[in-house]
Coordinates of all heavy atoms in Angstrom, one line a residue:
M1 N 104.5 1.6 -47.1 CA 103.3 1.8 -46.3 C 102.2 1.2 -47.1 O 102.0 1.5 -48.4 CB 103.2 3.2 -46.0 CG 101.9 3.5 -45.2 SD 101.9 5.2 -44.8 CE 100.6 5.3 -43.7
R2 N 101.3 0.4 -46.6 CA 100.0 -0.1 -47.2 C 98.8 0.8 -46.9 O 98.7 1.4 -45.9 CB 99.7 -1.4 -46.7 CG 100.8 -2.4 -46.9 CD 100.4 -3.9 -46.3 NE 101.5 -4.8 -46.4 CZ 101.7 -5.7 -45.6 NH1 100.8 -6.2 -44.7 NH2 102.7 -6.5 -45.7
F3 N 98.1 0.9 -48.0 CA 96.9 1.7 -48.0 C 95.7 0.8 -48.1 O 95.4 0.3 -49.2 CB 96.7 2.8 -49.1 CG 98.0 3.7 -48.9 CD1 99.2 3.6 -49.7 CD2 98.0 4.7 -48.1 CE1 100.2 4.4 -49.6 CE2 99.0 5.7 -48.0 CZ 100.1 5.5 -48.7
D4 N 95.0 0.5 -46.9 CA 93.9 -0.4 -47.0 C 92.6 0.3 -47.3 O 92.7 1.6 -47.2 CB 93.7 -1.3 -45.8 CG 93.5 -0.4 -44.4 OD1 93.6 0.8 -44.6 OD2 93.3 -1.1 -43.4
A5 N 91.5 -0.4 -47.6 CA 90.2 0.2 -47.8 C 89.2 -0.2 -46.8 O 89.4 -1.0 -45.9 CB 89.7 -0.3 -49.1
D6 N 88.2 0.6 -46.7 CA 87.1 0.5 -45.7 C 86.5 -0.9 -45.7 O 86.1 -1.5 -44.8 CB 85.9 1.5 -45.9 CG 86.4 2.9 -45.6 OD1 87.4 3.0 -44.9 OD2 85.7 3.9 -46.1
W7 N 86.5 -1.6 -46.9 CA 85.9 -2.9 -47.1 C 86.8 -4.1 -46.5 O 86.5 -5.2 -46.4 CB 85.5 -3.2 -48.5 CG 86.6 -3.0 -49.4 CD1 86.9 -2.0 -50.2 CD2 87.6 -4.0 -49.8 NE1 88.0 -2.2 -51.0 CE2 88.5 -3.4 -50.8 CE3 88.0 -5.3 -49.4 CZ2 89.6 -4.1 -51.3 CZ3 89.0 -6.0 -50.0 CH2 89.8 -5.5 -50.9
M8 N 88.0 -3.7 -46.1 CA 89.0 -4.6 -45.7 C 88.9 -5.0 -44.3 O 88.5 -4.0 -43.5 CB 90.5 -4.2 -46.1 CG 90.7 -4.1 -47.5 SD 92.4 -3.6 -47.9 CE 93.2 -5.2 -47.8
S9 N 89.3 -6.1 -43.7 CA 89.4 -6.5 -42.4 C 90.7 -6.8 -41.9 O 91.6 -6.9 -42.8 CB 88.5 -7.8 -42.1 OG 89.2 -8.9 -42.4
R10 N 90.9 -6.9 -40.6 CA 92.2 -7.2 -40.1 C 92.9 -8.5 -40.6 O 94.1 -8.7 -40.7 CB 92.1 -7.4 -38.6 CG 91.9 -6.0 -37.9 CD 92.0 -6.1 -36.4 NE 91.5 -7.3 -35.8 CZ 92.2 -8.0 -34.9 NH1 93.1 -7.5 -34.3 NH2 91.7 -9.1 -34.5
A11 N 92.0 -9.5 -40.9 CA 92.5 -10.7 -41.5 C 93.1 -10.7 -42.9 O 93.9 -11.5 -43.2 CB 91.3 -11.7 -41.5
D12 N 92.7 -9.7 -43.6 CA 93.2 -9.7 -45.0 C 94.6 -9.5 -45.2 O 95.2 -10.3 -46.0 CB 92.5 -8.4 -45.7 CG 90.9 -8.5 -45.8 OD1 90.4 -9.7 -45.5 OD2 90.3 -7.6 -46.3
D13 N 95.3 -8.7 -44.4 CA 96.7 -8.5 -44.6 C 97.5 -10.0 -44.2 O 98.4 -10.4 -44.9 CB 97.4 -7.4 -43.8 CG 97.2 -6.2 -44.3 OD1 96.5 -6.0 -45.4 OD2 97.8 -5.2 -43.8
R14 N 97.0 -10.6 -43.1 CA 97.6 -11.9 -42.7 C 97.3 -12.9 -43.8 O 98.3 -13.7 -44.1 CB 96.8 -12.4 -41.5 CG 97.0 -11.4 -40.3 CD 98.3 -11.3 -39.7 NE 99.1 -10.3 -40.3 CZ 98.9 -8.9 -40.3 NH1 97.9 -8.4 -39.6 NH2 99.6 -8.1 -40.9
I15 N 96.2 -12.9 -44.5 CA 95.9 -13.9 -45.6 C 96.9 -13.6 -46.7 O 97.4 -14.6 -47.2 CB 94.5 -13.8 -46.0 CG1 93.4 -14.3 -44.8 CG2 94.2 -14.5 -47.3 CD1 92.0 -14.0 -45.1
L16 N 96.9 -12.4 -47.1 CA 97.8 -12.0 -48.3 C 99.2 -12.3 -48.0 O 100.0 -12.9 -48.7 CB 97.6 -10.5 -48.6 CG 96.2 -10.2 -49.3 CD1 96.1 -8.7 -49.2 CD2 96.1 -10.8 -50.6
E17 N 99.7 -12.1 -46.8 CA 101.0 -12.4 -46.4 C 101.4 -13.9 -46.4 O 102.4 -14.4 -47.0 CB 101.4 -11.7 -45.1 CG 101.4 -10.2 -45.1 CD 101.3 -9.6 -43.6 OE1 101.2 -10.4 -42.6 OE2 101.5 -8.4 -43.5
H18 N 100.4 -14.6 -45.8 CA 100.6 -16.1 -45.8 C 100.7 -16.6 -47.2 O 101.6 -17.5 -47.6 CB 99.4 -16.7 -45.0 CG 99.4 -18.2 -45.2 ND1 100.1 -19.0 -44.3 CD2 98.8 -19.0 -46.0 CE1 99.9 -20.3 -44.6 NE2 99.1 -20.3 -45.6
L19 N 99.8 -16.3 -48.2 CA 99.8 -16.8 -49.5 C 101.0 -16.3 -50.3 O 101.7 -17.0 -51.1 CB 98.5 -16.4 -50.3 CG 97.3 -17.0 -49.7 CD1 96.0 -16.5 -50.3 CD2 97.3 -18.6 -49.7
S20 N 101.6 -15.1 -50.0 CA 102.7 -14.5 -50.7 C 104.0 -15.4 -50.2 O 104.8 -15.7 -51.1 CB 102.9 -13.1 -50.4 OG 104.1 -12.6 -50.9
E21 N 104.0 -15.8 -49.0 CA 105.1 -16.6 -48.5 C 105.1 -18.1 -48.7 O 106.0 -18.7 -49.1 CB 105.3 -16.2 -46.9 CG 105.8 -14.8 -46.7 CD 105.8 -14.5 -45.2 OE1 105.7 -15.5 -44.4 OE2 105.9 -13.3 -45.0
A22 N 103.8 -18.6 -48.5 CA 103.7 -20.1 -48.5 C 103.2 -20.6 -49.9 O 103.2 -21.8 -50.2 CB 102.7 -20.5 -47.5
G23 N 102.6 -19.7 -50.7 CA 102.1 -20.1 -52.0 C 100.6 -20.6 -51.8 O 100.0 -20.3 -50.7
P24 N 99.9 -21.1 -52.8 CA 98.5 -21.4 -52.9 C 98.1 -22.2 -51.6 O 98.9 -23.1 -51.3 CB 98.3 -22.2 -54.1 CG 99.4 -21.7 -55.0 CD 100.5 -21.5 -54.1
D25 N 97.0 -22.1 -51.0 CA 96.5 -22.7 -49.8 C 95.0 -22.6 -49.7 O 94.4 -21.8 -50.4 CB 97.3 -22.0 -48.6 CG 97.6 -23.2 -47.6 OD1 97.1 -24.2 -47.5 OD2 98.4 -22.7 -46.7
T26 N 94.5 -23.5 -48.8 CA 93.1 -23.4 -48.5 C 92.9 -22.7 -47.2 O 93.6 -22.5 -46.3 CB 92.5 -24.9 -48.3 OG1 93.2 -25.4 -47.1 CG2 92.8 -25.8 -49.5
P27 N 91.6 -22.2 -47.0 CA 91.2 -21.5 -45.7 C 91.5 -22.4 -44.5 O 91.9 -21.9 -43.5 CB 89.8 -21.3 -45.9 CG 89.6 -21.0 -47.3 CD 90.5 -22.0 -48.0
K28 N 91.3 -23.8 -44.7 CA 91.5 -24.6 -43.5 C 93.0 -24.6 -43.1 O 93.3 -24.5 -41.9 CB 91.0 -26.0 -43.8 CG 91.3 -27.0 -42.7 CD 90.9 -28.4 -43.1 CE 91.2 -29.4 -42.0 NZ 92.3 -29.2 -41.1
E29 N 93.8 -24.7 -44.1 CA 95.4 -24.8 -43.9 C 95.9 -23.4 -43.4 O 96.6 -23.4 -42.4 CB 96.1 -25.2 -45.2 CG 95.8 -26.6 -45.6 CD 96.2 -27.6 -44.5 OE1 97.3 -27.4 -43.9 OE2 95.5 -28.6 -44.4
M30 N 95.2 -22.3 -43.8 CA 95.6 -20.9 -43.3 C 95.2 -20.9 -41.9 O 95.9 -20.4 -41.0 CB 94.9 -20.0 -44.2 CG 95.5 -19.8 -45.5 SD 94.9 -18.3 -46.4 CE 93.9 -19.1 -47.7
A31 N 93.9 -21.4 -41.5 CA 93.5 -21.4 -40.1 C 94.4 -22.1 -39.3 O 94.6 -21.7 -38.0 CB 92.0 -21.9 -40.1
D32 N 95.0 -23.2 -39.7 CA 95.8 -24.1 -38.9 C 97.2 -23.5 -38.8 O 98.0 -24.0 -37.9 CB 95.8 -25.5 -39.6 CG 94.5 -26.2 -39.4 OD1 93.7 -25.8 -38.5 OD2 94.4 -27.2 -40.2
S33 N 97.6 -22.5 -39.5 CA 98.9 -21.9 -39.5 C 99.0 -20.9 -38.3 O 98.1 -20.5 -37.7 CB 99.2 -21.1 -40.9 OG 98.5 -20.0 -40.8
D34 N 100.3 -20.6 -38.0 CA 100.5 -19.7 -37.0 C 100.3 -18.2 -37.4 O 100.1 -17.4 -36.5 CB 101.9 -19.9 -36.4 CG 102.2 -21.1 -35.7 OD1 101.1 -21.7 -35.0 OD2 103.2 -21.6 -35.6
R35 N 100.5 -18.0 -38.7 CA 100.4 -16.6 -39.2 C 99.0 -16.1 -39.2 O 98.6 -14.9 -39.0 CB 101.0 -16.5 -40.6 CG 100.9 -15.2 -41.2 CD 101.6 -15.1 -42.5 NE 103.1 -14.8 -42.3 CZ 103.5 -13.5 -42.0 NH1 102.8 -12.6 -41.9 NH2 104.9 -13.4 -41.9
V36 N 98.0 -16.9 -39.7 CA 96.6 -16.4 -39.9 C 95.8 -16.9 -38.7 O 95.4 -18.0 -38.7 CB 96.0 -16.9 -41.3 CG1 94.7 -16.2 -41.5 CG2 96.9 -16.6 -42.4
R37 N 95.5 -16.1 -37.8 CA 94.9 -16.5 -36.5 C 93.4 -16.1 -36.5 O 93.0 -15.4 -35.7 CB 95.6 -15.9 -35.4 CG 96.9 -16.4 -35.2 CD 97.7 -15.9 -34.0 NE 98.9 -16.4 -33.9 CZ 99.6 -16.6 -32.8 NH1 99.0 -16.3 -31.7 NH2 100.7 -17.2 -32.9
F38 N 92.6 -16.6 -37.5 CA 91.2 -16.5 -37.6 C 90.6 -17.7 -37.9 O 91.3 -18.7 -38.3 CB 90.9 -15.4 -38.8 CG 91.4 -14.0 -38.4 CD1 92.7 -13.6 -38.8 CD2 90.7 -13.2 -37.6 CE1 93.2 -12.5 -38.5 CE2 91.1 -11.9 -37.4 CZ 92.5 -11.5 -37.8
S39 N 89.3 -18.0 -37.8 CA 88.6 -19.1 -38.1 C 88.6 -19.5 -39.5 O 88.7 -18.5 -40.4 CB 87.1 -19.1 -37.5 OG 86.4 -18.2 -38.3
R40 N 88.5 -20.7 -39.9 CA 88.4 -21.2 -41.2 C 87.2 -20.5 -41.9 O 87.3 -19.9 -43.1 CB 88.2 -22.6 -41.4 CG 88.1 -23.2 -42.8 CD 87.7 -24.6 -42.9 NE 86.3 -24.8 -42.2 CZ 85.1 -24.4 -42.8 NH1 85.0 -23.8 -44.0 NH2 84.0 -24.7 -42.1
Q41 N 86.1 -20.4 -41.3 CA 84.9 -19.7 -41.8 C 85.1 -18.2 -42.2 O 84.7 -17.7 -43.3 CB 83.8 -19.8 -40.9 CG 83.2 -21.2 -40.8 CD 83.9 -21.9 -39.6 OE1 85.0 -21.4 -39.1 NE2 83.4 -23.1 -39.3
H42 N 85.8 -17.5 -41.3 CA 86.1 -16.1 -41.5 C 87.2 -15.9 -42.7 O 86.9 -15.1 -43.5 CB 86.7 -15.5 -40.3 CG 86.9 -14.0 -40.4 ND1 85.8 -13.1 -40.5 CD2 88.1 -13.3 -40.4 CE1 86.4 -11.9 -40.6 NE2 87.7 -11.9 -40.6
I43 N 88.1 -16.8 -42.6 CA 89.2 -16.8 -43.8 C 88.6 -17.0 -45.1 O 88.7 -16.4 -46.1 CB 90.3 -17.7 -43.5 CG1 91.1 -17.3 -42.2 CG2 91.1 -17.9 -44.6 CD1 92.1 -18.3 -41.7
N44 N 87.7 -18.0 -45.1 CA 86.9 -18.4 -46.4 C 86.1 -17.0 -46.9 O 86.2 -16.8 -48.0 CB 86.1 -19.6 -46.2 CG 85.4 -20.1 -47.5 OD1 86.1 -20.4 -48.4 ND2 84.2 -20.2 -47.5
A45 N 85.5 -16.5 -46.0 CA 84.6 -15.4 -46.4 C 85.6 -14.2 -46.9 O 85.2 -13.5 -47.8 CB 83.7 -14.9 -45.3
R46 N 86.6 -14.0 -46.2 CA 87.6 -12.9 -46.6 C 88.2 -13.2 -48.0 O 88.4 -12.3 -48.8 CB 88.6 -12.7 -45.6 CG 88.1 -12.1 -44.1 CD 87.1 -11.0 -44.3 NE 87.6 -9.9 -45.1 CZ 87.0 -8.9 -45.8 NH1 85.6 -9.0 -45.6 NH2 87.5 -8.0 -46.4
C47 N 88.5 -14.5 -48.2 CA 89.2 -14.9 -49.4 C 88.2 -14.6 -50.6 O 88.6 -14.1 -51.6 CB 89.4 -16.3 -49.5 SG 91.0 -16.7 -48.5
K48 N 86.9 -14.9 -50.5 CA 86.0 -14.6 -51.4 C 85.8 -13.1 -51.7 O 85.8 -12.7 -52.8 CB 84.6 -15.1 -51.0 CG 84.5 -16.6 -51.1 CD 83.2 -17.1 -50.5 CE 83.1 -18.6 -50.6 NZ 81.9 -19.2 -50.2
T49 N 86.0 -12.3 -50.7 CA 86.0 -10.8 -50.9 C 87.2 -10.3 -51.6 O 87.2 -9.5 -52.5 CB 85.8 -10.1 -49.6 OG1 84.6 -10.5 -48.9 CG2 85.8 -8.6 -49.6
L50 N 88.4 -10.9 -51.2 CA 89.7 -10.6 -51.8 C 89.7 -10.9 -53.3 O 90.3 -10.4 -54.1 CB 90.8 -11.2 -51.0 CG 91.0 -10.6 -49.6 CD1 92.0 -11.4 -48.8 CD2 91.4 -9.1 -49.6
V51 N 89.0 -12.0 -53.6 CA 88.9 -12.3 -55.1 C 88.1 -11.4 -55.8 O 88.4 -10.9 -57.0 CB 88.2 -13.8 -55.2 CG1 87.8 -14.1 -56.6 CG2 89.2 -14.9 -54.7
E52 N 87.0 -10.9 -55.2 CA 86.2 -9.9 -55.9 C 86.9 -8.7 -56.1 O 86.6 -8.0 -57.2 CB 85.0 -9.5 -54.9 CG 83.9 -10.6 -54.8 CD 82.8 -10.1 -53.9 OE1 82.5 -8.8 -53.8 OE2 82.2 -11.0 -53.2
Y53 N 87.9 -8.3 -55.4 CA 88.7 -7.1 -55.6 C 90.0 -7.4 -56.3 O 90.7 -6.4 -56.4 CB 88.9 -6.4 -54.3 CG 87.7 -5.5 -53.7 CD1 86.7 -6.2 -53.0 CD2 87.5 -4.3 -54.1 CE1 85.6 -5.5 -52.5 CE2 86.4 -3.7 -53.7 CZ 85.4 -4.3 -52.9 OH 84.3 -3.7 -52.5
G54 N 90.2 -8.6 -56.7 CA 91.3 -8.8 -57.6 C 92.6 -9.1 -56.8 O 93.7 -9.1 -57.5
L55 N 92.6 -9.2 -55.5 CA 93.8 -9.4 -54.7 C 94.2 -10.9 -54.6 O 95.4 -11.2 -54.4 CB 93.7 -8.8 -53.3 CG 93.5 -7.3 -53.3 CD1 93.2 -6.8 -51.9 CD2 94.8 -6.7 -53.9
L56 N 93.1 -11.8 -54.8 CA 93.5 -13.2 -54.8 C 92.7 -13.9 -55.9 O 91.8 -13.1 -56.7 CB 92.8 -13.9 -53.5 CG 93.3 -13.6 -52.1 CD1 92.7 -14.4 -51.1 CD2 94.8 -13.8 -52.1
V57 N 93.2 -15.0 -56.4 CA 92.5 -15.8 -57.4 C 92.0 -17.1 -56.8 O 92.8 -17.7 -56.0 CB 93.4 -16.0 -58.6 CG1 94.7 -16.8 -58.3 CG2 92.7 -16.7 -59.7
H58 N 90.8 -17.6 -57.0 CA 90.4 -18.9 -56.6 C 90.9 -19.9 -57.6 O 90.5 -19.8 -58.9 CB 88.8 -18.9 -56.4 CG 88.4 -20.2 -55.9 ND1 87.4 -21.0 -56.4 CD2 88.7 -20.9 -54.7 CE1 87.2 -22.0 -55.8 NE2 87.8 -22.1 -54.7
L59 N 91.6 -20.9 -57.3 CA 92.2 -21.9 -58.2 C 91.3 -23.1 -58.4 O 91.5 -24.0 -59.2 CB 93.6 -22.4 -57.7 CG 94.7 -21.2 -57.6 CD1 96.0 -21.8 -57.1 CD2 94.9 -20.6 -59.0
G60 N 90.3 -23.2 -57.4 CA 89.4 -24.4 -57.5 C 89.7 -25.2 -56.3 O 90.8 -25.3 -55.6
N61 N 88.8 -26.1 -55.9 CA 88.9 -27.0 -54.8 C 89.2 -26.3 -53.4 O 90.0 -26.9 -52.7 CB 89.9 -28.1 -55.0 CG 89.4 -28.9 -56.2 OD1 88.2 -29.3 -56.3 ND2 90.5 -29.5 -57.0
G62 N 88.8 -25.1 -53.3 CA 89.0 -24.3 -52.1 C 90.4 -23.7 -52.0 O 90.8 -23.3 -50.9
V63 N 91.2 -23.7 -53.1 CA 92.6 -23.3 -52.9 C 92.6 -21.9 -53.5 O 92.1 -21.5 -54.5 CB 93.6 -24.1 -53.9 CG1 94.9 -23.6 -53.7 CG2 93.5 -25.7 -53.2
Y64 N 93.3 -20.9 -52.8 CA 93.5 -19.6 -53.2 C 94.9 -19.2 -53.4 O 95.8 -19.9 -52.7 CB 92.8 -18.6 -52.1 CG 91.3 -18.7 -52.0 CD1 90.8 -19.6 -51.1 CD2 90.6 -17.9 -52.8 CE1 89.4 -19.8 -51.1 CE2 89.1 -18.1 -52.8 CZ 88.5 -19.0 -51.9 OH 87.2 -19.1 -51.8
D65 N 95.1 -18.2 -54.2 CA 96.6 -17.8 -54.4 C 96.4 -16.2 -54.5 O 95.6 -15.7 -55.0 CB 97.2 -18.5 -55.6 CG 98.8 -18.3 -55.6 OD1 99.3 -17.8 -54.6 OD2 99.4 -18.5 -56.6
I66 N 97.6 -15.6 -54.2 CA 97.7 -14.1 -54.4 C 97.9 -13.8 -55.8 O 98.6 -14.5 -56.6 CB 98.8 -13.6 -53.4 CG1 98.7 -12.1 -53.3 CG2 100.2 -14.0 -53.9 CD1 99.5 -11.5 -52.2
T67 N 97.4 -12.7 -56.3 CA 97.6 -12.2 -57.5 C 98.8 -11.1 -57.6 O 99.1 -10.7 -56.6 CB 96.2 -11.5 -58.1 OG1 96.1 -10.4 -57.3 CG2 95.1 -12.5 -58.1
R68 N 99.1 -10.6 -58.7 CA 100.1 -9.7 -58.9 C 99.6 -8.4 -58.2 O 100.4 -7.6 -57.5 CB 100.4 -9.3 -60.4 CG 101.3 -8.2 -60.7 CD 101.8 -8.2 -62.1 NE 102.4 -7.1 -62.6 CZ 103.4 -6.4 -62.1 NH1 104.1 -6.9 -61.2 NH2 103.8 -5.2 -62.6
T69 N 98.3 -8.1 -58.2 CA 97.7 -6.9 -57.7 C 97.8 -7.0 -56.2 O 98.1 -6.0 -55.4 CB 96.2 -6.8 -58.1 OG1 96.2 -6.7 -59.5 CG2 95.6 -5.6 -57.3
G70 N 97.6 -8.3 -55.7 CA 97.8 -8.5 -54.2 C 99.2 -8.3 -53.7 O 99.4 -7.8 -52.7
E71 N 100.2 -8.8 -54.6 CA 101.5 -8.5 -54.3 C 101.9 -7.0 -54.3 O 102.7 -6.6 -53.4 CB 102.5 -9.3 -55.2 CG 102.4 -10.8 -55.1 CD 103.1 -11.3 -54.0 OE1 103.7 -10.6 -53.2 OE2 103.2 -12.6 -53.8
Q72 N 101.3 -6.3 -55.2 CA 101.5 -4.8 -55.3 C 100.9 -4.2 -54.0 O 101.6 -3.3 -53.4 CB 100.8 -4.3 -56.6 CG 101.7 -4.6 -57.8 CD 100.9 -4.2 -59.1 OE1 99.6 -4.2 -59.1 NE2 101.6 -3.8 -60.1
Y73 N 99.8 -4.6 -53.6 CA 99.3 -4.1 -52.3 C 100.2 -4.4 -51.2 O 100.6 -3.4 -50.3 CB 97.9 -4.6 -52.0 CG 97.5 -4.4 -50.6 CD1 97.0 -3.2 -50.2 CD2 97.5 -5.4 -49.7 CE1 96.7 -2.9 -48.9 CE2 97.2 -5.2 -48.4 CZ 96.7 -3.9 -48.0 OH 96.3 -3.6 -46.7
L74 N 100.7 -5.5 -51.0 CA 101.6 -5.9 -49.9 C 102.9 -5.1 -49.9 O 103.4 -4.7 -48.9 CB 101.9 -7.3 -49.9 CG 100.9 -8.4 -49.5 CD1 101.5 -9.8 -49.6 CD2 100.5 -8.0 -48.1
A75 N 103.3 -4.7 -51.1 CA 104.6 -3.9 -51.3 C 104.3 -2.5 -51.0 O 105.3 -1.7 -51.1 CB 105.2 -4.2 -52.6
G76 N 103.0 -2.1 -50.9 CA 102.9 -0.7 -50.7 C 102.8 0.1 -52.1 O 102.8 1.3 -52.0
E77 N 102.7 -0.6 -53.2 CA 102.7 0.0 -54.5 C 101.2 0.3 -55.0 O 101.1 0.8 -56.1 CB 103.4 -0.9 -55.5 CG 104.9 -1.2 -55.1 CD 105.5 -2.2 -55.9 OE1 104.8 -2.8 -56.8 OE2 106.6 -2.5 -55.7
L78 N 100.2 -0.1 -54.2 CA 98.9 0.0 -54.7 C 97.9 0.4 -53.5 O 98.1 -0.1 -52.4 CB 98.4 -1.4 -55.2 CG 97.0 -1.4 -55.7 CD1 96.9 -1.6 -57.1 CD2 96.2 -2.7 -55.0
D79 N 97.1 1.3 -53.8 CA 96.2 1.8 -52.7 C 94.8 1.0 -52.9 O 94.2 1.1 -54.1 CB 95.8 3.4 -53.1 CG 95.1 4.0 -51.9 OD1 94.3 3.2 -51.2 OD2 95.2 5.2 -51.7
A80 N 94.5 0.2 -51.9 CA 93.3 -0.7 -52.0 C 92.1 0.1 -52.2 O 91.0 -0.4 -52.7 CB 93.3 -1.6 -50.9
R81 N 92.1 1.4 -51.7 CA 90.8 2.3 -52.0 C 90.6 2.5 -53.4 O 89.5 2.8 -53.7 CB 91.1 3.5 -51.2 CG 91.3 3.4 -49.7 CD 91.6 4.7 -49.0 NE 93.0 5.1 -49.5 CZ 93.6 6.0 -48.9 NH1 93.2 6.7 -48.0 NH2 94.9 6.3 -49.4
D82 N 91.4 2.2 -54.2 CA 91.2 2.5 -55.7 C 90.7 1.2 -56.4 O 90.2 1.3 -57.6 CB 92.5 3.0 -56.4 CG 93.1 4.1 -55.9 OD1 92.3 5.1 -55.5 OD2 94.3 4.4 -56.1
L83 N 90.6 0.1 -55.6 CA 90.1 -1.1 -56.3 C 88.5 -1.1 -56.3 O 87.9 -0.7 -55.4 CB 90.6 -2.3 -55.5 CG 92.2 -2.5 -55.6 CD1 92.5 -3.7 -54.6 CD2 92.7 -2.7 -56.9
E84 N 88.0 -1.8 -57.3 CA 86.6 -1.9 -57.3 C 86.2 -3.5 -57.4 O 87.0 -4.2 -58.0 CB 86.0 -1.2 -58.5 CG 86.1 0.3 -58.4 CD 85.5 1.1 -59.6 OE1 84.6 0.4 -60.3 OE2 85.9 2.2 -59.7
A85 N 85.2 -3.9 -56.8 CA 84.7 -5.1 -56.8 C 84.1 -5.5 -58.3 O 83.6 -4.7 -58.9 CB 83.6 -5.4 -55.9
D86 N 84.5 -6.7 -58.7 CA 84.0 -7.3 -60.0 C 82.4 -7.5 -60.0 O 81.9 -8.0 -59.0 CB 84.7 -8.7 -60.4 CG 86.2 -8.3 -60.8 OD1 86.4 -7.1 -61.2 OD2 87.0 -9.2 -60.7

């Protein structure tokens, strides 16, 4: 069971799941995928927030990847309410 936080949106789980399965990707590619059904702009904004909380890492050139913390959240091993923004 996943424990999300008040700062999270519906897109966050889809983004994390996509990156966990597909590997590093850009918001544009995520928006074009069948799994993440949100606009590129919304995905981009959410990725920036997920980086602030340590669930994603920005690799440069608009490419994001999931972190170990992000994988722990997906596995239900981490309560996102305990995370603090950098």
Side-chain angles (χ1 to χ4, degrees):
M1 179 174 190
R2 294 182 191 158
F3 299 97
D4 63 355
D6 291 340
W7 54 265
M8 296 182 83
S9 81
R10 291 184 326 135
D12 295 351
D13 280 11
R14 302 293 85 74
I15 292 167
L16 292 164
E17 290 165 355
H18 173 84
L19 293 173
S20 179
E21 293 174 13
D25 216 346
T26 65
K28 181 187 182 320
E29 294 299 320
M30 286 186 254
D32 291 343
S33 76
D34 289 334
R35 177 173 277 282
V36 187
R37 296 179 178 214
F38 295 90
S39 72
R40 179 193 57 77
Q41 294 86 353
H42 185 67
I43 294 168
N44 188 53
R46 295 312 307 161
C47 284
K48 290 178 181 180
T49 300
L50 293 169
V51 167
E52 288 179 32
Y53 284 91
L55 297 172
L56 294 184
V57 61
H58 185 236
L59 301 176
N61 295 324
V63 177
Y64 293 90
D65 198 10
I66 191 166
T67 63
R68 178 166 160 65
T69 303
E71 293 285 4
Q72 289 174 322
Y73 165 75
L74 285 181
E77 299 169 357
L78 177 110
D79 188 335
R81 295 172 292 187
D82 295 334
L83 298 174
E84 294 184 19
D86 288 338

